[in-house]
Amino acid sequence: MSSICVVGTQWGDEGKGKIVDYLAEQADVVARYQGGANAGHTVVAKGKTFKLHLLPSGILYPGCTCIIGNDVVLDPVVLLEELAALKAEGLDASGLRISNRAHVVLPYHKLFDKLEERMKGNSKVGTTGRGIGPCYADAANRIGIRVVSWMDREAFAQELQTALAYKNRIITQVFGEQPLDFQTIYDEYCGYADQLRPYVCDTCALIHEELAADKKILFEGAQAAMLDLSHGTYPFVTSSHPTAGAVCVGLGLGPKQIGKVIGVVKAYATRVGEGPFPTEQLNAIGEQIRETAHEYGATTGRPRRCGWFDSCVVRYATMLNGLDCIALTRLDILDQFPEIQICTGYKYQGKLLNEFPASLKVLGEVEAVYETLPGWMAPTSDIKEYDQLPANCRRYVERIGELAGARVGIVSVGPERDRTIVREKMF
Ligand code: GDP
Ligand code: IMO
Ligand code: MG
């Protein structure tokens, strides 16, 4: 079976977009299975940079079927903007397919995201403000609106009336804000529905046809293990499951239909938004990483918090996802660091921990235990063969694999497609 799942192993922004785009050259289908427009996946192709939020990162290959699965929360405003940007570049998105079971992000979801963050004050999550949490909450609370209803004017009117009556009571009575107008939302979103209708189908049936025809399929994760609703640093997480298990529910597959799982690992660590980050470097090292790597959010433009590679995080992600191998990205960013630190474990109250702490209090207080490796102080971006990488660089790569508990199968040394060193066959 030729299906590969690509997941984030840290706090997101590991370079999933780059790796999926690279592998998509050989793929027939690329499918997103969770998340929404909170994702920002950067793909650099033919000298142009594309920031994809909802479109799967196979969209730049004509002929690739790109699926937005049932557990993705779909913001039509963002999707239409992305489609317009592709069109402006002369690219065709006819391979796009949107699940009729996906939930629609509506204006009140974005409003609630903002109001709830404001209400939380110092305990805010630091969300992307894209309405993700409120939309998934409505889905779980069975007051969400799915694409299939949104495409049907009558059903949409009825479901929107019900949802909006409920939302407006909270908006006015709890938050003291102005209510939202039904007709304005209805008219605007009927217009979006008309534009996106040609892409809507039963993507579960489609993906099973593709599997039966032995097509090559990539499952593209958004966010990452530490942001997983069940396994991440709750409550500083997203509202979906970026880990590989979610592929099954998010697209309608059985677990045996996932062939291989690749974890994308950044050669250091970053985080956007609030929450514990044991290897964060609030010093000149953190600044150097941020400025060298230009670590600013692809979705919100926020400066990303930067720190050293944390093997506790990636080892945990290896376990949560059952990783077969690692795609190590942004190795070139460390080219000019004379010494590089790797966190090998966490100490809490003087004792080494064996398990990744569930308690945020513990995670916030752990002492990261480091080992120091010599840097390589040489450019790596033009290197095409693994053996050509400087010896200290290979030593760093091998150590990461050893500590993470999965072999490094891909090494990425630049954002472009050709700056990718592949050590083993992926499909
Ligand atoms: P994603 O959300 O996981 O897809 O990652 P983002 O796109 O948010 O952030 C990753 C950033 O790193 C993007 O700007 C990519 O173009 C860039 N990138 C990916 N791989 C490499 C690499 O190996 N080296 C360098 N220098 N940049 C990379
Ligand atoms: P990609 O796919 C990095 C973070 C937000 C916030 C938390 C919850 O590009 O790796 P949300 O808006 O999802 O309710 O925010 O999750 N977050 C991300 N951080 N990369 C992402 O996506 C993220 N998507 C959400 O910053 O801390
Ligand atoms: Mg990103």
Side-chain angles (χ1 to χ4, degrees), residues 108-121 123-125 127 133-135 137 167 170 175:
Y108 49 80
H109 294 127
K110 292 184 233 187
L111 178 63
F112 270 71
D113 200 344
K114 201 170 78 188
L115 295 174
E116 285 169 351
E117 282 281 270
R118 198 170 73 194
M119 193 180 68
K120 287 177 185 167
S123 320
K124 73 177 196 295
V125 176
T127 70
C135 188
K167 298 290 169 188
I170 303 174
F175 292 106

mmCIF file with all atom_site columns, all heavy atoms in Angstrom, residues 108-121 123-125 127 133-135 137 167 170 175:
data_model
loop_
_atom_site.group_PDB
_atom_site.id
_atom_site.type_symbol
_atom_site.label_atom_id
_atom_site.label_alt_id
_atom_site.label_comp_id
_atom_site.label_asym_id
_atom_site.label_entity_id
_atom_site.label_seq_id
_atom_site.pdbx_PDB_ins_code
_atom_site.Cartn_x
_atom_site.Cartn_y
_atom_site.Cartn_z
_atom_site.occupancy
_atom_site.B_iso_or_equiv
_atom_site.pdbx_formal_charge
_atom_site.auth_seq_id
_atom_site.auth_comp_id
_atom_site.auth_asym_id
_atom_site.auth_atom_id
_atom_site.pdbx_PDB_model_num
ATOM 1   N N   . TYR A 1 108 ? -19.282 34.064 13.441 1.00 0.00 ? 108 TYR A N   1
ATOM 2   C CA  . TYR A 1 108 ? -19.371 34.043 14.905 1.00 0.00 ? 108 TYR A CA  1
ATOM 3   C C   . TYR A 1 108 ? -18.278 33.170 15.528 1.00 0.00 ? 108 TYR A C   1
ATOM 4   O O   . TYR A 1 108 ? -17.912 33.358 16.679 1.00 0.00 ? 108 TYR A O   1
ATOM 5   C CB  . TYR A 1 108 ? -20.777 33.641 15.388 1.00 0.00 ? 108 TYR A CB  1
ATOM 6   C CG  . TYR A 1 108 ? -21.391 32.415 14.766 1.00 0.00 ? 108 TYR A CG  1
ATOM 7   C CD1 . TYR A 1 108 ? -21.043 31.141 15.190 1.00 0.00 ? 108 TYR A CD1 1
ATOM 8   C CD2 . TYR A 1 108 ? -22.340 32.528 13.749 1.00 0.00 ? 108 TYR A CD2 1
ATOM 9   C CE1 . TYR A 1 108 ? -21.625 30.009 14.631 1.00 0.00 ? 108 TYR A CE1 1
ATOM 10  C CE2 . TYR A 1 108 ? -22.921 31.407 13.175 1.00 0.00 ? 108 TYR A CE2 1
ATOM 11  C CZ  . TYR A 1 108 ? -22.563 30.147 13.624 1.00 0.00 ? 108 TYR A CZ  1
ATOM 12  O OH  . TYR A 1 108 ? -23.133 29.037 13.059 1.00 0.00 ? 108 TYR A OH  1
ATOM 13  N N   . HIS A 1 109 ? -17.738 32.223 14.781 1.00 0.00 ? 109 HIS A N   1
ATOM 14  C CA  . HIS A 1 109 ? -16.627 31.423 15.331 1.00 0.00 ? 109 HIS A CA  1
ATOM 15  C C   . HIS A 1 109 ? -15.394 32.306 15.533 1.00 0.00 ? 109 HIS A C   1
ATOM 16  O O   . HIS A 1 109 ? -14.705 32.220 16.556 1.00 0.00 ? 109 HIS A O   1
ATOM 17  C CB  . HIS A 1 109 ? -16.281 30.251 14.393 1.00 0.00 ? 109 HIS A CB  1
ATOM 18  C CG  . HIS A 1 109 ? -17.381 29.241 14.291 1.00 0.00 ? 109 HIS A CG  1
ATOM 19  N ND1 . HIS A 1 109 ? -17.903 28.822 13.090 1.00 0.00 ? 109 HIS A ND1 1
ATOM 20  C CD2 . HIS A 1 109 ? -18.060 28.590 15.258 1.00 0.00 ? 109 HIS A CD2 1
ATOM 21  C CE1 . HIS A 1 109 ? -18.857 27.941 13.329 1.00 0.00 ? 109 HIS A CE1 1
ATOM 22  N NE2 . HIS A 1 109 ? -18.980 27.781 14.630 1.00 0.00 ? 109 HIS A NE2 1
ATOM 23  N N   . LYS A 1 110 ? -15.136 33.158 14.552 1.00 0.00 ? 110 LYS A N   1
ATOM 24  C CA  . LYS A 1 110 ? -13.973 34.051 14.681 1.00 0.00 ? 110 LYS A CA  1
ATOM 25  C C   . LYS A 1 110 ? -14.202 35.066 15.797 1.00 0.00 ? 110 LYS A C   1
ATOM 26  O O   . LYS A 1 110 ? -13.295 35.392 16.554 1.00 0.00 ? 110 LYS A O   1
ATOM 27  C CB  . LYS A 1 110 ? -13.695 34.733 13.336 1.00 0.00 ? 110 LYS A CB  1
ATOM 28  C CG  . LYS A 1 110 ? -13.214 33.728 12.289 1.00 0.00 ? 110 LYS A CG  1
ATOM 29  C CD  . LYS A 1 110 ? -12.845 34.389 10.993 1.00 0.00 ? 110 LYS A CD  1
ATOM 30  C CE  . LYS A 1 110 ? -13.565 33.731 9.849  1.00 0.00 ? 110 LYS A CE  1
ATOM 31  N NZ  . LYS A 1 110 ? -13.163 34.177 8.532  1.00 0.00 ? 110 LYS A NZ  1
ATOM 32  N N   . LEU A 1 111 ? -15.456 35.542 15.893 1.00 0.00 ? 111 LEU A N   1
ATOM 33  C CA  . LEU A 1 111 ? -15.780 36.507 16.951 1.00 0.00 ? 111 LEU A CA  1
ATOM 34  C C   . LEU A 1 111 ? -15.611 35.858 18.334 1.00 0.00 ? 111 LEU A C   1
ATOM 35  O O   . LEU A 1 111 ? -15.001 36.441 19.237 1.00 0.00 ? 111 LEU A O   1
ATOM 36  C CB  . LEU A 1 111 ? -17.216 37.017 16.756 1.00 0.00 ? 111 LEU A CB  1
ATOM 37  C CG  . LEU A 1 111 ? -17.726 37.990 17.808 1.00 0.00 ? 111 LEU A CG  1
ATOM 38  C CD1 . LEU A 1 111 ? -16.900 39.282 17.817 1.00 0.00 ? 111 LEU A CD1 1
ATOM 39  C CD2 . LEU A 1 111 ? -19.195 38.335 17.568 1.00 0.00 ? 111 LEU A CD2 1
ATOM 40  N N   . PHE A 1 112 ? -16.121 34.636 18.478 1.00 0.00 ? 112 PHE A N   1
ATOM 41  C CA  . PHE A 1 112 ? -15.985 33.934 19.768 1.00 0.00 ? 112 PHE A CA  1
ATOM 42  C C   . PHE A 1 112 ? -14.530 33.664 20.113 1.00 0.00 ? 112 PHE A C   1
ATOM 43  O O   . PHE A 1 112 ? -14.140 33.730 21.278 1.00 0.00 ? 112 PHE A O   1
ATOM 44  C CB  . PHE A 1 112 ? -16.781 32.611 19.747 1.00 0.00 ? 112 PHE A CB  1
ATOM 45  C CG  . PHE A 1 112 ? -18.200 32.783 20.211 1.00 0.00 ? 112 PHE A CG  1
ATOM 46  C CD1 . PHE A 1 112 ? -19.123 33.449 19.427 1.00 0.00 ? 112 PHE A CD1 1
ATOM 47  C CD2 . PHE A 1 112 ? -18.610 32.321 21.449 1.00 0.00 ? 112 PHE A CD2 1
ATOM 48  C CE1 . PHE A 1 112 ? -20.436 33.640 19.846 1.00 0.00 ? 112 PHE A CE1 1
ATOM 49  C CE2 . PHE A 1 112 ? -19.916 32.504 21.889 1.00 0.00 ? 112 PHE A CE2 1
ATOM 50  C CZ  . PHE A 1 112 ? -20.829 33.158 21.090 1.00 0.00 ? 112 PHE A CZ  1
ATOM 51  N N   . ASP A 1 113 ? -13.732 33.338 19.101 1.00 0.00 ? 113 ASP A N   1
ATOM 52  C CA  . ASP A 1 113 ? -12.304 33.083 19.335 1.00 0.00 ? 113 ASP A CA  1
ATOM 53  C C   . ASP A 1 113 ? -11.704 34.317 20.016 1.00 0.00 ? 113 ASP A C   1
ATOM 54  O O   . ASP A 1 113 ? -11.015 34.233 21.035 1.00 0.00 ? 113 ASP A O   1
ATOM 55  C CB  . ASP A 1 113 ? -11.624 32.813 17.970 1.00 0.00 ? 113 ASP A CB  1
ATOM 56  C CG  . ASP A 1 113 ? -10.296 32.080 18.106 1.00 0.00 ? 113 ASP A CG  1
ATOM 57  O OD1 . ASP A 1 113 ? -9.746  32.044 19.212 1.00 0.00 ? 113 ASP A OD1 1
ATOM 58  O OD2 . ASP A 1 113 ? -9.806  31.566 17.079 1.00 0.00 ? 113 ASP A OD2 1
ATOM 59  N N   . LYS A 1 114 ? -12.027 35.491 19.453 1.00 0.00 ? 114 LYS A N   1
ATOM 60  C CA  . LYS A 1 114 ? -11.492 36.749 19.981 1.00 0.00 ? 114 LYS A CA  1
ATOM 61  C C   . LYS A 1 114 ? -12.043 37.048 21.384 1.00 0.00 ? 114 LYS A C   1
ATOM 62  O O   . LYS A 1 114 ? -11.297 37.369 22.304 1.00 0.00 ? 114 LYS A O   1
ATOM 63  C CB  . LYS A 1 114 ? -11.889 37.869 18.998 1.00 0.00 ? 114 LYS A CB  1
ATOM 64  C CG  . LYS A 1 114 ? -11.053 39.113 19.090 1.00 0.00 ? 114 LYS A CG  1
ATOM 65  C CD  . LYS A 1 114 ? -11.337 40.062 17.944 1.00 0.00 ? 114 LYS A CD  1
ATOM 66  C CE  . LYS A 1 114 ? -12.633 40.827 18.189 1.00 0.00 ? 114 LYS A CE  1
ATOM 67  N NZ  . LYS A 1 114 ? -13.081 41.640 17.062 1.00 0.00 ? 114 LYS A NZ  1
ATOM 68  N N   . LEU A 1 115 ? -13.367 36.920 21.530 1.00 0.00 ? 115 LEU A N   1
ATOM 69  C CA  . LEU A 1 115 ? -14.002 37.268 22.806 1.00 0.00 ? 115 LEU A CA  1
ATOM 70  C C   . LEU A 1 115 ? -13.562 36.329 23.930 1.00 0.00 ? 115 LEU A C   1
ATOM 71  O O   . LEU A 1 115 ? -13.322 36.760 25.060 1.00 0.00 ? 115 LEU A O   1
ATOM 72  C CB  . LEU A 1 115 ? -15.530 37.231 22.668 1.00 0.00 ? 115 LEU A CB  1
ATOM 73  C CG  . LEU A 1 115 ? -16.152 38.261 21.718 1.00 0.00 ? 115 LEU A CG  1
ATOM 74  C CD1 . LEU A 1 115 ? -17.656 38.009 21.556 1.00 0.00 ? 115 LEU A CD1 1
ATOM 75  C CD2 . LEU A 1 115 ? -15.910 39.687 22.202 1.00 0.00 ? 115 LEU A CD2 1
ATOM 76  N N   . GLU A 1 116 ? -13.432 35.036 23.595 1.00 0.00 ? 116 GLU A N   1
ATOM 77  C CA  . GLU A 1 116 ? -13.031 34.071 24.634 1.00 0.00 ? 116 GLU A CA  1
ATOM 78  C C   . GLU A 1 116 ? -11.573 34.276 25.041 1.00 0.00 ? 116 GLU A C   1
ATOM 79  O O   . GLU A 1 116 ? -11.233 34.164 26.216 1.00 0.00 ? 116 GLU A O   1
ATOM 80  C CB  . GLU A 1 116 ? -13.287 32.637 24.155 1.00 0.00 ? 116 GLU A CB  1
ATOM 81  C CG  . GLU A 1 116 ? -14.774 32.309 24.204 1.00 0.00 ? 116 GLU A CG  1
ATOM 82  C CD  . GLU A 1 116 ? -15.166 31.021 23.503 1.00 0.00 ? 116 GLU A CD  1
ATOM 83  O OE1 . GLU A 1 116 ? -14.317 30.416 22.812 1.00 0.00 ? 116 GLU A OE1 1
ATOM 84  O OE2 . GLU A 1 116 ? -16.341 30.631 23.637 1.00 0.00 ? 116 GLU A OE2 1
ATOM 85  N N   . GLU A 1 117 ? -10.726 34.599 24.084 1.00 0.00 ? 117 GLU A N   1
ATOM 86  C CA  . GLU A 1 117 ? -9.327  34.886 24.416 1.00 0.00 ? 117 GLU A CA  1
ATOM 87  C C   . GLU A 1 117 ? -9.256  36.116 25.317 1.00 0.00 ? 117 GLU A C   1
ATOM 88  O O   . GLU A 1 117 ? -8.515  36.144 26.299 1.00 0.00 ? 117 GLU A O   1
ATOM 89  C CB  . GLU A 1 117 ? -8.516  35.140 23.134 1.00 0.00 ? 117 GLU A CB  1
ATOM 90  C CG  . GLU A 1 117 ? -8.138  33.871 22.374 1.00 0.00 ? 117 GLU A CG  1
ATOM 91  C CD  . GLU A 1 117 ? -6.939  33.154 22.983 1.00 0.00 ? 117 GLU A CD  1
ATOM 92  O OE1 . GLU A 1 117 ? -5.795  33.446 22.597 1.00 0.00 ? 117 GLU A OE1 1
ATOM 93  O OE2 . GLU A 1 117 ? -7.170  32.276 23.839 1.00 0.00 ? 117 GLU A OE2 1
ATOM 94  N N   . ARG A 1 118 ? -10.075 37.127 24.976 1.00 0.00 ? 118 ARG A N   1
ATOM 95  C CA  . ARG A 1 118 ? -10.079 38.356 25.767 1.00 0.00 ? 118 ARG A CA  1
ATOM 96  C C   . ARG A 1 118 ? -10.546 38.055 27.190 1.00 0.00 ? 118 ARG A C   1
ATOM 97  O O   . ARG A 1 118 ? -9.968  38.526 28.163 1.00 0.00 ? 118 ARG A O   1
ATOM 98  C CB  . ARG A 1 118 ? -10.998 39.385 25.092 1.00 0.00 ? 118 ARG A CB  1
ATOM 99  C CG  . ARG A 1 118 ? -10.750 40.804 25.554 1.00 0.00 ? 118 ARG A CG  1
ATOM 100 C CD  . ARG A 1 118 ? -11.503 41.780 24.685 1.00 0.00 ? 118 ARG A CD  1
ATOM 101 N NE  . ARG A 1 118 ? -12.934 41.748 24.966 1.00 0.00 ? 118 ARG A NE  1
ATOM 102 C CZ  . ARG A 1 118 ? -13.866 42.291 24.183 1.00 0.00 ? 118 ARG A CZ  1
ATOM 103 N NH1 . ARG A 1 118 ? -13.532 42.888 23.046 1.00 0.00 ? 118 ARG A NH1 1
ATOM 104 N NH2 . ARG A 1 118 ? -15.137 42.246 24.512 1.00 0.00 ? 118 ARG A NH2 1
ATOM 105 N N   . MET A 1 119 ? -11.570 37.208 27.291 1.00 0.00 ? 119 MET A N   1
ATOM 106 C CA  . MET A 1 119 ? -12.116 36.868 28.600 1.00 0.00 ? 119 MET A CA  1
ATOM 107 C C   . MET A 1 119 ? -11.092 36.108 29.449 1.00 0.00 ? 119 MET A C   1
ATOM 108 O O   . MET A 1 119 ? -11.035 36.273 30.660 1.00 0.00 ? 119 MET A O   1
ATOM 109 C CB  . MET A 1 119 ? -13.369 36.011 28.411 1.00 0.00 ? 119 MET A CB  1
ATOM 110 C CG  . MET A 1 119 ? -14.193 35.840 29.650 1.00 0.00 ? 119 MET A CG  1
ATOM 111 S SD  . MET A 1 119 ? -15.618 34.813 29.299 1.00 0.00 ? 119 MET A SD  1
ATOM 112 C CE  . MET A 1 119 ? -14.842 33.238 28.995 1.00 0.00 ? 119 MET A CE  1
ATOM 113 N N   . LYS A 1 120 ? -10.278 35.282 28.800 1.00 0.00 ? 120 LYS A N   1
ATOM 114 C CA  . LYS A 1 120 ? -9.282  34.491 29.537 1.00 0.00 ? 120 LYS A CA  1
ATOM 115 C C   . LYS A 1 120 ? -8.135  35.347 30.066 1.00 0.00 ? 120 LYS A C   1
ATOM 116 O O   . LYS A 1 120 ? -7.400  34.919 30.947 1.00 0.00 ? 120 LYS A O   1
ATOM 117 C CB  . LYS A 1 120 ? -8.737  33.374 28.653 1.00 0.00 ? 120 LYS A CB  1
ATOM 118 C CG  . LYS A 1 120 ? -9.745  32.250 28.436 1.00 0.00 ? 120 LYS A CG  1
ATOM 119 C CD  . LYS A 1 120 ? -9.211  31.183 27.487 1.00 0.00 ? 120 LYS A CD  1
ATOM 120 C CE  . LYS A 1 120 ? -10.270 30.144 27.198 1.00 0.00 ? 120 LYS A CE  1
ATOM 121 N NZ  . LYS A 1 120 ? -9.917  29.273 26.066 1.00 0.00 ? 120 LYS A NZ  1
ATOM 122 N N   . GLY A 1 121 ? -7.973  36.534 29.512 1.00 0.00 ? 121 GLY A N   1
ATOM 123 C CA  . GLY A 1 121 ? -6.943  37.459 29.994 1.00 0.00 ? 121 GLY A CA  1
ATOM 124 C C   . GLY A 1 121 ? -5.563  36.835 29.967 1.00 0.00 ? 121 GLY A C   1
ATOM 125 O O   . GLY A 1 121 ? -5.113  36.361 28.927 1.00 0.00 ? 121 GLY A O   1
ATOM 126 N N   . SER A 1 123 ? -4.616  34.069 30.992 1.00 0.00 ? 123 SER A N   1
ATOM 127 C CA  . SER A 1 123 ? -4.609  32.622 30.707 1.00 0.00 ? 123 SER A CA  1
ATOM 128 C C   . SER A 1 123 ? -4.916  32.345 29.241 1.00 0.00 ? 123 SER A C   1
ATOM 129 O O   . SER A 1 123 ? -5.231  31.212 28.877 1.00 0.00 ? 123 SER A O   1
ATOM 130 C CB  . SER A 1 123 ? -5.643  31.898 31.552 1.00 0.00 ? 123 SER A CB  1
ATOM 131 O OG  . SER A 1 123 ? -5.673  32.393 32.831 1.00 0.00 ? 123 SER A OG  1
ATOM 132 N N   . LYS A 1 124 ? -4.884  33.365 28.406 1.00 0.00 ? 124 LYS A N   1
ATOM 133 C CA  . LYS A 1 124 ? -5.244  33.140 27.005 1.00 0.00 ? 124 LYS A CA  1
ATOM 134 C C   . LYS A 1 124 ? -4.317  32.103 26.366 1.00 0.00 ? 124 LYS A C   1
ATOM 135 O O   . LYS A 1 124 ? -3.176  31.915 26.801 1.00 0.00 ? 124 LYS A O   1
ATOM 136 C CB  . LYS A 1 124 ? -5.226  34.451 26.230 1.00 0.00 ? 124 LYS A CB  1
ATOM 137 C CG  . LYS A 1 124 ? -3.852  35.023 25.928 1.00 0.00 ? 124 LYS A CG  1
ATOM 138 C CD  . LYS A 1 124 ? -4.045  36.280 25.078 1.00 0.00 ? 124 LYS A CD  1
ATOM 139 C CE  . LYS A 1 124 ? -2.808  36.744 24.378 1.00 0.00 ? 124 LYS A CE  1
ATOM 140 N NZ  . LYS A 1 124 ? -1.691  37.212 25.151 1.00 0.00 ? 124 LYS A NZ  1
ATOM 141 N N   . VAL A 1 125 ? -4.843  31.436 25.327 1.00 0.00 ? 125 VAL A N   1
ATOM 142 C CA  . VAL A 1 125 ? -4.091  30.374 24.644 1.00 0.00 ? 125 VAL A CA  1
ATOM 143 C C   . VAL A 1 125 ? -3.106  30.981 23.642 1.00 0.00 ? 125 VAL A C   1
ATOM 144 O O   . VAL A 1 125 ? -2.061  30.404 23.353 1.00 0.00 ? 125 VAL A O   1
ATOM 145 C CB  . VAL A 1 125 ? -5.089  29.419 23.924 1.00 0.00 ? 125 VAL A CB  1
ATOM 146 C CG1 . VAL A 1 125 ? -4.371  28.341 23.124 1.00 0.00 ? 125 VAL A CG1 1
ATOM 147 C CG2 . VAL A 1 125 ? -6.040  28.783 24.934 1.00 0.00 ? 125 VAL A CG2 1
ATOM 148 N N   . THR A 1 127 ? -4.324  31.957 20.491 1.00 0.00 ? 127 THR A N   1
ATOM 149 C CA  . THR A 1 127 ? -4.779  31.277 19.260 1.00 0.00 ? 127 THR A CA  1
ATOM 150 C C   . THR A 1 127 ? -4.443  32.112 18.032 1.00 0.00 ? 127 THR A C   1
ATOM 151 O O   . THR A 1 127 ? -4.036  33.276 18.140 1.00 0.00 ? 127 THR A O   1
ATOM 152 C CB  . THR A 1 127 ? -6.310  31.057 19.267 1.00 0.00 ? 127 THR A CB  1
ATOM 153 O OG1 . THR A 1 127 ? -6.940  32.336 19.118 1.00 0.00 ? 127 THR A OG1 1
ATOM 154 C CG2 . THR A 1 127 ? -6.788  30.380 20.531 1.00 0.00 ? 127 THR A CG2 1
ATOM 155 N N   . GLY A 1 133 ? -11.157 26.777 17.475 1.00 0.00 ? 133 GLY A N   1
ATOM 156 C CA  . GLY A 1 133 ? -11.728 26.164 18.694 1.00 0.00 ? 133 GLY A CA  1
ATOM 157 C C   . GLY A 1 133 ? -13.251 26.268 18.700 1.00 0.00 ? 133 GLY A C   1
ATOM 158 O O   . GLY A 1 133 ? -13.941 25.257 18.871 1.00 0.00 ? 133 GLY A O   1
ATOM 159 N N   . PRO A 1 134 ? -13.811 27.460 18.498 1.00 0.00 ? 134 PRO A N   1
ATOM 160 C CA  . PRO A 1 134 ? -15.270 27.576 18.516 1.00 0.00 ? 134 PRO A CA  1
ATOM 161 C C   . PRO A 1 134 ? -15.957 26.710 17.442 1.00 0.00 ? 134 PRO A C   1
ATOM 162 O O   . PRO A 1 134 ? -17.041 26.177 17.671 1.00 0.00 ? 134 PRO A O   1
ATOM 163 C CB  . PRO A 1 134 ? -15.510 29.072 18.257 1.00 0.00 ? 134 PRO A CB  1
ATOM 164 C CG  . PRO A 1 134 ? -14.283 29.726 18.848 1.00 0.00 ? 134 PRO A CG  1
ATOM 165 C CD  . PRO A 1 134 ? -13.155 28.783 18.535 1.00 0.00 ? 134 PRO A CD  1
ATOM 166 N N   . CYS A 1 135 ? -15.341 26.535 16.291 1.00 0.00 ? 135 CYS A N   1
ATOM 167 C CA  . CYS A 1 135 ? -15.966 25.717 15.242 1.00 0.00 ? 135 CYS A CA  1
ATOM 168 C C   . CYS A 1 135 ? -15.956 24.237 15.632 1.00 0.00 ? 135 CYS A C   1
ATOM 169 O O   . CYS A 1 135 ? -16.968 23.542 15.516 1.00 0.00 ? 135 CYS A O   1
ATOM 170 C CB  . CYS A 1 135 ? -15.261 25.940 13.908 1.00 0.00 ? 135 CYS A CB  1
ATOM 171 S SG  . CYS A 1 135 ? -16.136 25.143 12.546 1.00 0.00 ? 135 CYS A SG  1
ATOM 172 N N   . ALA A 1 137 ? -15.815 23.151 18.660 1.00 0.00 ? 137 ALA A N   1
ATOM 173 C CA  . ALA A 1 137 ? -16.707 23.025 19.824 1.00 0.00 ? 137 ALA A CA  1
ATOM 174 C C   . ALA A 1 137 ? -18.149 22.881 19.350 1.00 0.00 ? 137 ALA A C   1
ATOM 175 O O   . ALA A 1 137 ? -18.908 22.054 19.860 1.00 0.00 ? 137 ALA A O   1
ATOM 176 C CB  . ALA A 1 137 ? -16.547 24.238 20.736 1.00 0.00 ? 137 ALA A CB  1
ATOM 177 N N   . LYS A 1 167 ? -26.142 31.844 19.466 1.00 0.00 ? 167 LYS A N   1
ATOM 178 C CA  . LYS A 1 167 ? -24.890 32.627 19.557 1.00 0.00 ? 167 LYS A CA  1
ATOM 179 C C   . LYS A 1 167 ? -25.174 34.071 19.956 1.00 0.00 ? 167 LYS A C   1
ATOM 180 O O   . LYS A 1 167 ? -24.443 34.654 20.759 1.00 0.00 ? 167 LYS A O   1
ATOM 181 C CB  . LYS A 1 167 ? -24.148 32.631 18.214 1.00 0.00 ? 167 LYS A CB  1
ATOM 182 C CG  . LYS A 1 167 ? -23.720 31.256 17.740 1.00 0.00 ? 167 LYS A CG  1
ATOM 183 C CD  . LYS A 1 167 ? -22.606 30.717 18.595 1.00 0.00 ? 167 LYS A CD  1
ATOM 184 C CE  . LYS A 1 167 ? -22.378 29.249 18.270 1.00 0.00 ? 167 LYS A CE  1
ATOM 185 N NZ  . LYS A 1 167 ? -21.440 28.616 19.192 1.00 0.00 ? 167 LYS A NZ  1
ATOM 186 N N   . ILE A 1 170 ? -25.555 34.733 23.571 1.00 0.00 ? 170 ILE A N   1
ATOM 187 C CA  . ILE A 1 170 ? -24.276 34.756 24.311 1.00 0.00 ? 170 ILE A CA  1
ATOM 188 C C   . ILE A 1 170 ? -23.509 36.047 23.990 1.00 0.00 ? 170 ILE A C   1
ATOM 189 O O   . ILE A 1 170 ? -22.962 36.697 24.880 1.00 0.00 ? 170 ILE A O   1
ATOM 190 C CB  . ILE A 1 170 ? -23.429 33.503 23.982 1.00 0.00 ? 170 ILE A CB  1
ATOM 191 C CG1 . ILE A 1 170 ? -24.231 32.234 24.293 1.00 0.00 ? 170 ILE A CG1 1
ATOM 192 C CG2 . ILE A 1 170 ? -22.112 33.511 24.752 1.00 0.00 ? 170 ILE A CG2 1
ATOM 193 C CD1 . ILE A 1 170 ? -23.574 30.945 23.877 1.00 0.00 ? 170 ILE A CD1 1
ATOM 194 N N   . PHE A 1 175 ? -21.230 38.640 26.632 1.00 0.00 ? 175 PHE A N   1
ATOM 195 C CA  . PHE A 1 175 ? -20.100 39.496 26.256 1.00 0.00 ? 175 PHE A CA  1
ATOM 196 C C   . PHE A 1 175 ? -20.482 40.975 26.097 1.00 0.00 ? 175 PHE A C   1
ATOM 197 O O   . PHE A 1 175 ? -19.611 41.814 25.939 1.00 0.00 ? 175 PHE A O   1
ATOM 198 C CB  . PHE A 1 175 ? -19.458 38.987 24.957 1.00 0.00 ? 175 PHE A CB  1
ATOM 199 C CG  . PHE A 1 175 ? -18.760 37.658 25.127 1.00 0.00 ? 175 PHE A CG  1
ATOM 200 C CD1 . PHE A 1 175 ? -19.307 36.486 24.622 1.00 0.00 ? 175 PHE A CD1 1
ATOM 201 C CD2 . PHE A 1 175 ? -17.549 37.583 25.816 1.00 0.00 ? 175 PHE A CD2 1
ATOM 202 C CE1 . PHE A 1 175 ? -18.662 35.262 24.788 1.00 0.00 ? 175 PHE A CE1 1
ATOM 203 C CE2 . PHE A 1 175 ? -16.902 36.365 25.983 1.00 0.00 ? 175 PHE A CE2 1
ATOM 204 C CZ  . PHE A 1 175 ? -17.456 35.205 25.469 1.00 0.00 ? 175 PHE A CZ  1
#
